[in-house]
């Protein structure tokens, strides 16, 4: 049974249809936004019940009386076991990039050009969900649904489309490149329904994306500061939009 549980969590990390939700906040948001849970392991059901009662009363019933696993077994379920004593496997949401881009309404899409760090991707998903963006699309080799990204997003991948794509398809949305050398961002600079494109942590936006953009905007910074972190730049642009 214990060996089976460890193996199921290991297998889930490699399965592109599944999500591993580490910690209470990831589990809470995933459930709030409709995740289908397949397995939950809890090392301290009383503490989990107390967390649910104070932070998500609507989930108290759902998280009641889960079978407890020992702390030793719990620590084998993740290379970085969460502080809150719960970890779960859920089905990933099936999102469609084309449908996200075609969505009506003024909400922008966030496009990450080859992001490298799962924690940054998660932080971007979290702020995009909070600001009401229409989706987060990412290119490059890094899966935006890894457990580390889900943890950084506090499980908010279920709240808006989060999709890895091979490139940005042509479409009717204005393409706005956020780039430290663009024209200064002001109120009203970002058109409705924009795709807001952000570069990778180390090398910034690719020349191809900069070339393709309809507009390049910079977030003003004090002299001597080279750039903001990726998630901070996304947050500023989204709340400006
Ligand atoms: C950590 S920065 C990359 C820094 C990189 N060395 C560069 O030259 O662009 C990650 C991304 O955040 C966005 N960004 C960071 N600071 C910005 C600023 N002041 N104005 C506009 N975008 C910014 C850009 O899209 C950038 O590619």
């Amino acid at each position: 049974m214990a060996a089976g549980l460890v193996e199921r969590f290991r297998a889930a990390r490699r399965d592109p249809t599944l999500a591993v939700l580490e910690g209470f906040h990831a589990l809470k948001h995933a459930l709030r936004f409709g995740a289908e849970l397949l397995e939950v392991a809890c090392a301290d059901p009383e503490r989990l019940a107390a967390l649910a009662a104070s932070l998500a009363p609507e989930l108290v019933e759902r998280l009641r009386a889960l079978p407890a696993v020992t702390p030793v077994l719990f620590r084998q379920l993740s290379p970085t076991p969460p502080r809150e004593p719960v970890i779960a496997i859920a089905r990933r949401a099936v999102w469609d990039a084309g449908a996200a881009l075609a969505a009506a309404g003024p909400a922008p899409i966030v496009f990450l050009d080859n992001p490298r760090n799962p924690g940054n991707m998660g932080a971007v998903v979290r702020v995009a969900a909070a600001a009401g963006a229409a989706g987060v699309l990412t290119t490059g080799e890094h899966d935006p649904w890894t457990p580390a990204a889900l943890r950084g997003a506090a499980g908010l991948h279920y709240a808006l489309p989060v999709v890895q794509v091979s490139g940005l398809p042509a479409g009717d949305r204005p393409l706005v490149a956020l780039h430290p050398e663009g024209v200064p961002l002001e109120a009203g600079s970002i058109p409705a329904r924009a795709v807001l494109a952000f570069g990778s942590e180390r090398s910034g936006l690719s020349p191809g994306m900069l070339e393709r953009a309809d507009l390049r905007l910079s977030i003003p910074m004090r002299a001597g500061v080279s750039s903001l972190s990726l998630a901070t730049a996304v947050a500023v642009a989204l709340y400006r939009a």
Side-chain angles (χ1 to χ4, degrees):
M1 152 73 184
L5 191 65
V6 172
E7 188 39 51
R8 287 199 294 285
F9 271 86
R10 257 188 215 143
R13 285 171 196 283
R14 299 188 297 264
D15 187 331
T17 69
L18 299 180
V20 176
L21 302 166
E22 299 178 328
F24 180 75
H25 295 284
L27 178 62
K28 170 191 75 179
H29 280 131
L31 287 175
R32 247 182 219 161
F33 289 98
E36 182 193 346
L37 283 192
L38 302 179
E39 183 130 25
V40 185
C42 176
D44 184 345
E46 273 180 32
R47 173 145 165 69
L48 182 63
L51 283 168
S54 69
L55 300 172
E58 79 279 13
L59 298 177
V60 165
E61 277 310 309
R62 191 98 188 259
L63 298 176
R64 190 187 293 284
L66 292 173
V69 300
T70 64
V72 172
L73 176 54
F74 187 77
R75 284 196 292 276
Q76 293 173 52
L77 302 181
S78 167
T80 51
R83 207 156 35 92
E84 306 110 349
V86 67
I87 179 165
I89 301 172
R91 254 185 242 296
R92 291 190 189 192
V94 180
W95 295 120
D96 178 57
L101 285 161
I109 292 273
V110 175
F111 179 82
L112 303 183
D113 190 14
N114 200 14
R116 319 293 302 170
N117 181 301
N120 288 343
M121 284 194 265
V124 168
V125 170
R126 188 171 186 168
V127 73
V136 176
L137 308 182
T138 70
T139 60
E141 66 192 89
H142 296 284
D143 176 7
W145 278 79
T146 58
L150 279 154
R151 203 156 158 170
L156 284 161
H157 289 57
Y158 293 86
L160 79 173
V162 178
V163 191
Q164 189 175 21
V165 292
S166 56
L168 181 65
D172 64 345
R173 288 178 178 261
L175 177 57
V176 178
L178 275 293
H179 183 57
E181 285 155 33
V183 299
L185 172 65
E186 294 172 352
S189 328
I190 298 180
R193 300 193 77 248
V195 171
L196 303 174
F198 299 85
S200 82
E201 295 87 337
R202 198 166 301 163
S203 50
L205 274 166
S206 62
M209 284 304 294
L210 284 172
E211 186 67 27
R212 211 176 134 183
D214 300 300
L215 189 62
R216 297 180 193 174
L217 293 176
S218 70
I219 300 163
M221 296 179 296
R222 179 179 171 178
V225 178
S226 313
S227 68
L228 299 166
S229 72
L230 176 57
T232 303
V234 173
V236 171
L238 279 177
Y239 281 96
R240 253 308 187 200

